[in-house]
Amino acid sequence: MTFLDKYRINRALRQVGNYDLDGVLGRFGLERRSIAADVAADVGFFVLGCLAGALAGVFFAPRRGIELREQMKKSIGERGFVGGMQETIRQTPAGRA
């Protein structure tokens, strides 16, 4: 390692020492974030996922809600809970939206 290399290394280290943490993070396009901001973002994404799942369930339901509840009551009353659910699943046409 030559004297010039050592000089360049020392100069670079001095320049890095002049930066604060926010300045160094800013060089890489990063920033400090609080834990509360991360939690709020996670909760927001969870709520959006729940809404998307509920919306998908409404659009892809095999029957209208009233028809499905009546069929389930009828089959549960006739065969008991487990047998009635199995029969309801068998009677539901696949791919019907």
Side-chain angles (χ1 to χ4, degrees):
M1 185 178 294
T2 65
F3 175 75
L4 186 58
D5 291 335
K6 289 181 183 179
Y7 173 75
R8 288 179 182 158
I9 290 171
N10 283 332
R11 184 174 171 203
L13 289 174
R14 274 188 263 125
Q15 286 178 349
V16 170
N18 293 334
Y19 288 109
D20 60 335
L21 181 59
D22 291 328
V24 173
L25 290 174
R27 288 280 207 168
F28 295 102
L30 303 172
E31 62 183 15
R32 286 190 202 193
R33 292 177 57 181
S34 67
I35 294 174
D38 288 340
V39 170
D42 292 343
V43 169
F45 283 123
F46 177 76
V47 170
L48 284 175
C50 289
L51 291 174
L55 189 63
V58 168
F59 282 125
F60 293 110
R63 298 199 168 112
R64 290 184 15 209
I66 295 170
E67 294 172 358
L68 185 61
R69 283 190 295 272
E70 287 175 1
Q71 182 184 4
M72 288 177 68
K73 284 179 192 176
K74 180 181 169 189
S75 58
I76 288 172
E78 292 173 358
R79 295 180 183 84
F81 183 74
V82 175
M85 292 303 293
Q86 290 172 350
E87 186 63 28
T88 300
I89 292 169
R90 273 191 232 113
Q91 289 177 1
T92 302
R96 183 175 174 209

